Amino acid sequence: MADKSNDPVAIWQNMIGEMEKGFNSFANKAMESPEFSRVVNQVGGVSAGAQKQLGELMEKYLLTMNLPSRAQMVSMAERLQSIEAQLNEIKALLHQVHHNSGAPDGGYPAAPRPPRTRRPPSSGGEQK
Amino acid sequence: MNAPAGLDLASIPERIQTEVQRAIQRSIKGVEYIASSGPSLGSTPKDILNVRGTMNLYHYRPIADEIYRVPILLVMATTNRGYILDMVPGQSFIEFLLKRGYDVYMLDWTAPKPEEKRLQMEDYVLDFIPDCVRRVQRDSGETDVTVIGYCFGGVLALLYGSIFADGPMKNLICFTTPVDFREMKLFQNFSDRRYFDVDRLVDSVGNVPPEMILSSFEMLRPASRAASQVQLWENIWNDEYVKSYRMFDRWATDTLPLAGEYFRAITKDLMWDNRLYNDTMSVGGRPADIAKIKVPFLHAVAEHDHIVPYDAAKPLIQKIGSADKEEVILKGGHVSLVAGANAIKRLWPKLDSWLCERST
């Protein structure tokens, strides 16, 4: 196999790595300047305000069109996630019930917790 | 004509064949990549003990036959999701802790809703963390709790520990936790008080959008996203590489918004006035001096951390009041310190050997 210095693929990968480092380093130097901070914050301040106004405008527009807004979709997604989490809980409980199917008539006991007696390996405890 | 030194002519056909096979695989796997979803993350079995707005407390089901007496409460950074500590089986810090016999709880965050924009530092430090600690105590039946904070979760844990210095925290572990915010030079410049009007931003947007948080992280290494995509294309034939890329990429882009008032306090108290470092920090009128923390303390920092540079994290070990304290500097970056192959080899075994002695 050719050594790395003559392997075109290795040369290409090395070049990408070096370019990444070089550009990051150059950009970081540029970003340390107060001018950069001033420009970014001017642009950012304006765009954050504009984005907020645009968002509110869009929300009103979507409401008029009888369509859900992004915030409503995100909220719905979160509710779905919460329902999924609860379903997982139910699945886990069913799983537990299935495991304890020989449980007494009084109901199904919660899964027993292991004892809190573990000792570190150096003091004679065993690493399991 | 002679071959250049080091070039083995006999290997060229073999190399060409490999590259052609990889090119074919790239085309096939590239289509698969677009058509499929990534691996399922954060799937270690857990119970949700409490959900209150942005705050979520989980208890992971123990898998060892015998566990250490002292439970662990992990406090996640408020900017990111907790599944970085529970990626996939075999690469999950939570799973590692469970296998080593710890009882693990996690305080994780979801996106604060618009009405939660008024959440302040007080809510996080004087309400959410103490509430979770109480619930861990009740659930485990133990008074003592070990707290582990990752990145800004570490800052919250430090503030909590310094205000509730009399307990019940038994041990404190911080991963890549900044205390000298002057040394976070690029973040300092992004939030330069001469040009960054935090009041105007918070008053106009409410919660700080996740896109803004993500861009500020990505601006620290502006070329890295493009370079990582080139690397992904080169390695798309390699299933393990793609799996790992998808896990970390999904996590890195799954940034959370920050509650407006909380962000305002971080900017003013920490970024501008550097109060944690200057010993002038207070939360809800209660002084938070990290010298008051006396419990056993471990700080793990990464050698090549571009988000929390070592200089920003370094003073913590001197400033903390604990007599039993240790700092470990490990190879890797901000994320690879806690997750991935690097963490499996370095941080996790170190943490286990330190903590097991202090968990009985």
Side-chain angles (χ1 to χ4, degrees):
Chain A
M1 183 63 75
D3 77 10
K4 294 254 173 189
S5 62
N6 279 315
D7 180 347
V9 177
I11 292 169
W12 160 252
Q13 284 167 345
N14 190 39
M15 190 186 80
I16 292 285
E18 289 304 316
M19 274 170 64
E20 180 192 351
K21 271 190 226 160
F23 187 81
N24 281 341
S25 162
F26 171 76
N28 285 351
K29 283 268 171 284
M31 283 188 282
E32 278 172 15
S33 69
E35 288 73 28
F36 177 82
S37 176
R38 188 175 55 79
V39 172
V40 160
N41 283 307
Q42 266 177 359
V43 175
V46 170
S47 87
Q51 219 174 357
K52 167 91 174 159
Q53 280 188 342
L54 184 70
E56 284 169 357
L57 203 69
M58 279 303 287
E59 194 131 345
K60 279 181 193 159
Y61 172 73
L62 290 167
L63 189 71
T64 320
M65 296 292 286
N66 205 19
L67 288 169
S69 68
R70 188 175 186 275
Q72 284 170 322
M73 294 301 287
V74 168
S75 159
M76 204 182 287
E78 278 181 1
R79 290 189 66 185
L80 276 175
Q81 272 175 358
S82 153
I83 292 167
E84 272 178 7
Q86 287 177 37
L87 278 175
N88 285 336
E89 284 305 292
I90 294 167
K91 260 171 67 183
L93 279 171
L94 283 173
H95 189 67
Q96 200 176 306
V97 165
H98 179 69
H99 267 269
N100 297 333
S101 53
D105 296 338
Y108 299 104
R113 296 261 179 113
R116 296 182 171 273
T117 48
R118 195 180 184 99
R119 310 294 303 169
S122 56
S123 67
E126 196 189 334
Q127 200 70 268
K128 292 178 187 173
Chain B
M1 197 158 65
N2 291 333
L7 181 61
D8 177 4
L9 289 172
S11 72
I12 290 176
E14 189 192 325
R15 194 64 216 261
I16 290 172
Q17 196 180 10
T18 308
E19 286 307 318
V20 169
Q21 278 169 355
R22 283 181 182 175
I24 294 167
Q25 283 295 310
R26 276 187 198 109
S27 304
I28 298 167
K29 304 260 180 181
V31 175
E32 275 177 21
Y33 180 86
I34 295 162
S36 66
S37 58
S40 172
L41 306 176
S43 57
T44 301
K46 60 181 180 283
D47 298 302
I48 300 168
L49 289 193
N50 191 30
V51 175
R52 183 152 58 94
T54 181
M55 182 199 90
N56 295 258
L57 176 64
Y58 310 133
H59 176 231
Y60 292 88
R61 294 183 197 146
I63 52 180
D65 298 335
E66 193 183 16
I67 55 176
Y68 290 111
R69 183 182 67 79
V70 183
I72 295 172
L73 173 64
L74 294 159
V75 180
M76 190 53 204
T78 40
T79 44
N80 291 90
R81 307 267 185 183
Y83 61 78
I84 185 65
L85 304 176
D86 185 23
M87 290 301 230
V88 288
Q91 290 189 49
S92 160
F93 178 52
I94 305 275
E95 181 197 52
F96 170 84
L97 291 173
L98 294 173
K99 281 187 174 166
R100 292 293 173 111
Y102 295 95
D103 192 13
V104 184
Y105 297 78
M106 186 196 276
L107 167 52
D108 193 14
W109 312 100
T110 46
K113 295 189 174 56
E115 61 271 22
E116 290 181 290
K117 67 180 181 188
R118 293 190 206 291
L119 287 176
Q120 300 185 32
M121 191 64 91
E122 288 89 314
D123 294 292
Y124 289 83
V125 176
L126 304 180
D127 180 10
F128 292 149
I129 299 182
D131 182 23
C132 288
V133 169
R134 274 192 299 274
R135 284 172 193 275
V136 170
Q137 288 176 307
R138 202 181 312 149
D139 188 70
S140 65
E142 290 295 329
T143 311
D144 295 332
V145 178
T146 291
V147 178
I148 302 181
Y150 175 42
C151 186
F152 207 84
V155 174
L156 295 177
L158 284 173
L159 294 172
Y160 164 78
S162 56
I163 292 171
F164 298 91
D166 297 330
M169 189 166 75
K170 186 180 184 295
N171 305 295
L172 174 61
I173 298 171
C174 290
F175 298 153
T176 63
T177 296
V179 282
D180 187 356
F181 287 79
R182 280 174 318 176
E183 295 298 334
M184 298 179 75
K185 294 204 188 301
L186 287 176
F187 281 122
Q188 273 293 327
N189 203 32
F190 298 160
S191 62
D192 187 326
R193 69 170 87 203
R194 289 171 298 174
Y195 311 116
F196 179 51
D197 191 345
V198 68
D199 292 325
R200 189 172 150 212
L201 176 76
V202 170
D203 294 343
S204 64
V205 301
N207 290 335
V208 178
E211 297 81 16
M212 195 176 149
I213 311 283
L214 179 61
S215 355
S216 64
F217 284 137
E218 289 199 332
M219 273 164 74
L220 301 175
R221 294 234 172 125
S224 293
R225 172 151 286 272
S228 72
Q229 281 167 353
V230 173
Q231 282 161 356
L232 170 67
W233 178 245
E234 280 172 3
N235 290 288
I236 208 157
W237 53 271
N238 180 341
D239 290 340
E240 277 308 303
Y241 184 94
V242 172
K243 184 176 150 196
S244 173
Y245 176 89
R246 291 189 94 150
M247 288 189 317
F248 284 100
D249 185 61
R250 184 181 147 198
W251 178 79
T253 52
D254 195 4
T255 320
L256 293 171
L258 285 178
E261 293 305 324
Y262 171 70
F263 179 78
R264 199 193 308 258
I266 292 171
T267 305
K268 290 186 175 176
D269 291 345
L270 299 176
M271 297 305 296
W272 289 357
D273 296 339
N274 206 16
R275 285 176 183 266
L276 197 57
Y277 181 76
N278 294 332
D279 308 325
T280 53
M281 184 70 184
S282 66
V283 181
R286 301 174 71 169
D289 178 2
I290 51 181
K292 287 192 179 152
I293 298 175
K294 306 285 184 194
V295 298
F297 175 72
L298 176 71
H299 191 197
V301 290
E303 208 172 54
H304 305 291
D305 192 332
H306 69 292
I307 294 176
V308 179
Y310 178 55
D311 286 341
K314 189 167 66 175
L316 178 52
I317 199 74
Q318 281 106 44
K319 293 186 87 62
I320 202 142
S322 315
D324 173 5
K325 57 183 175 181
E326 186 181 345
E327 180 192 70
V328 283
I329 307 171
L330 300 170
K331 283 194 174 161
H334 191 72
V335 180
S336 68
L337 178 82
V338 295
N342 197 25
I344 296 170
K345 272 194 308 212
R346 299 190 174 105
L347 178 69
W348 301 356
K350 169 64 200 169
L351 179 129
D352 178 39
S353 67
W354 187 88
L355 188 57
C356 68
E357 306 284 341
R358 295 164 176 85
S359 293
T360 55

